[in-house]
Amino acid sequence: MEPDAAFWRGKRVVVTGHTGFKGGWLTLWLRRLGATVTGISLPPDTTPDLFTLARVAEGISHHLADIRDREAVARIIREADPQAVFHLAAQPLVRPSYDDPIGTFSTNVMGTAHVLDALRFCPNLRVVAAITTDKVYRNREWPFPYREDDHLGGHDPYSASKAGSEIVAACYRDAFFKDRGVALATARAGNVIGGGDWSLDRLIPDAVRAFGGGGTLHIRRPDAVRPWQHVLEPLAGYLRLARLLFDDPGLAGAYNFGPHTSEAATVRQVVELARAAFGGGEVAYGPGDEGPHEAGWLALETAKARTLLGVRPLWSLEEAVGRTMAWYARQLRGQDARELCLEEIAAYEALLQGAA
């Protein structure tokens, strides 16, 4: 499972959304592996932000652009001449999608189309990994994990827009890339936690702000179940997926990345783990019906990634939450965010090597 530094060294890689939480971690990891990275993204939208604190722009070709701007995206991608692309740029939150559904659809659906259309004209392109979410499935509130061949859908604009981006990706794979030997895969993962996420309306960042500031963390839906995982778990999966697609384009398709089904956990369980790791904090649990509709139960079946890619989770939920809260605590004490990320990546790589 471990990322192959000899393979990635010198590879020309485009990462969209590199100023975001997952994109920032992925960019740091690719640079550590020796890849030549071009980033395309809007400016960070939180204060503070991982991109700035971890100096993610160091050593990469950094471009601020909106993926809704077709001409700008095409120009940057043409100049980068990528061999591999990780498309993460998105409007990534459920509740804001209710406030701005058109912006969410234009970014997540048409933005994906702009990126993929620009890639049609890249002569050296071999692999595209389009990152979507666990919420692309038509949620039936049933007690079964969702598989890659289950129906797509979405009650809220975010989920629906990401399901739409899956359809766009499948179209480009079949209509344009397959005959060229370019492998396009979609990667479905969600509820990712880790240090450096300061997004509003996400559980761990909200907890860090409340606990660190002496406030109360308000939880709308404490019994909602999600497949929580540390950010390095899916990123390791994406890197593994892209590496194998270089050699075997026939593996192209959709993949779930997540914890073992048995480790899907409630919001309440994650909050209590975070509170214990932080050393205390005030929490107010709501009745479970506040705000607009959100899925109550969601888990992913990851047998495909485990069987075809050899990808499996390595950190338990308790370990993931503990490491995440420790990252924030150390950063708040003045430790360098970039060094904290690279230290975490090194620890995960060591675990991967031990599991090989």
Side-chain angles (χ1 to χ4, degrees):
M1 284 175 59
E2 71 273 11
D4 184 350
F7 169 81
W8 287 106
R9 190 173 300 116
K11 284 286 188 304
R12 296 187 304 279
V13 181
V14 164
V15 178
T16 71
H18 69 296
T19 64
F21 166 53
K22 286 175 68 178
W25 276 91
L26 178 60
T27 300
L28 290 173
W29 204 344
L30 284 165
R31 284 297 302 138
R32 174 181 167 84
L33 295 169
T36 300
V37 179
T38 296
I40 306 172
S41 185
L42 291 173
D45 62 357
T46 66
T47 302
D49 67 272
L50 182 68
F51 178 77
T52 302
L53 291 178
R55 305 184 299 284
V56 175
E58 287 186 7
I60 73 167
S61 179
H62 165 53
H63 299 269
L64 292 178
D66 192 327
I67 59 171
R68 294 174 292 185
D69 185 338
R70 180 181 178 183
E71 292 184 2
V73 168
R75 174 182 54 79
I76 297 167
I77 286 177
R78 183 172 59 249
E79 293 172 356
D81 186 24
Q83 296 163 284
V85 175
F86 294 92
H87 173 46
L88 289 85
Q91 191 298 94
L93 299 171
V94 172
R95 283 165 64 86
S97 78
Y98 281 102
D99 297 328
D100 184 15
I102 298 302
T104 298
F105 279 107
S106 61
T107 297
N108 294 349
V109 179
M110 287 308 300
T112 296
H114 292 162
V115 171
L116 296 181
D117 202 65
L119 294 174
R120 285 201 293 140
F121 306 101
C122 295
N124 295 300
L125 180 68
R126 295 283 300 280
V127 168
V128 183
I131 312 307
T132 62
T133 175
D134 55 3
K135 297 172 184 64
V136 297
Y137 296 105
R138 184 187 304 166
N139 193 289
R140 300 178 183 276
E141 299 292 356
W142 57 19
F144 310 109
Y146 290 91
R147 300 177 302 179
E148 288 85 351
D149 57 358
D150 281 326
H151 290 295
L152 301 179
H155 182 283
D156 59 89
Y158 167 71
S159 301
S161 71
K162 295 300 275 186
S165 75
E166 287 272 354
I167 295 172
V168 170
C171 167
Y172 272 81
R173 177 171 55 241
D174 294 338
F176 302 110
F177 292 145
K178 186 181 294 183
D179 290 344
R180 290 178 47 200
V182 175
L184 192 164
T186 56
R188 302 166 179 174
N191 295 95
V192 173
I193 63 175
D197 185 4
W198 281 281
S199 298
L200 295 174
D201 207 38
R202 278 190 181 152
L203 182 60
I204 293 297
D206 286 349
V208 170
R209 280 186 285 267
F211 298 162
T216 298
L217 175 64
H218 294 273
I219 300 298
R220 298 186 308 273
R221 299 175 183 266
D223 298 319
V225 175
R226 296 289 186 270
W228 310 92
Q229 58 186 322
H230 191 277
V231 63
L232 293 182
E233 301 271 27
L235 294 187
Y238 305 162
L239 290 168
R240 175 71 169 173
L241 172 62
R243 171 68 184 92
L244 293 181
L245 289 174
F246 260 85
D247 295 334
D248 186 359
L251 290 172
Y255 290 85
N256 289 336
F257 294 93
H260 296 297
T261 303
S262 61
E263 288 233 338
T266 66
V267 170
R268 188 190 304 270
Q269 288 173 294
V270 175
V271 167
E272 292 306 324
L273 286 172
R275 177 156 60 170
F278 197 81
E282 295 298 318
V283 181
Y285 290 109
D289 56 0
E290 298 177 40
H293 174 274
E294 295 183 60
W297 198 97
L298 177 59
L300 298 180
E301 173 57 70
T302 58
K304 183 179 179 182
R306 186 170 62 250
T307 302
L308 297 185
L309 309 179
V311 172
R312 61 189 184 279
L314 299 179
W315 281 340
S316 67
L317 177 60
E318 185 174 3
E319 177 85 1
V321 174
R323 284 182 171 274
T324 297
M325 300 307 286
W327 192 103
Y328 284 107
R330 294 172 67 187
Q331 190 273 328
L332 287 170
R333 291 197 297 268
Q335 295 192 39
D336 182 73
R338 184 184 182 93
E339 292 304 315
L340 289 173
C341 290
L342 293 176
E343 178 185 318
E344 200 93 294
I345 291 169
Y348 193 84
E349 286 180 339
L351 194 61
L352 285 170
Q353 292 167 4

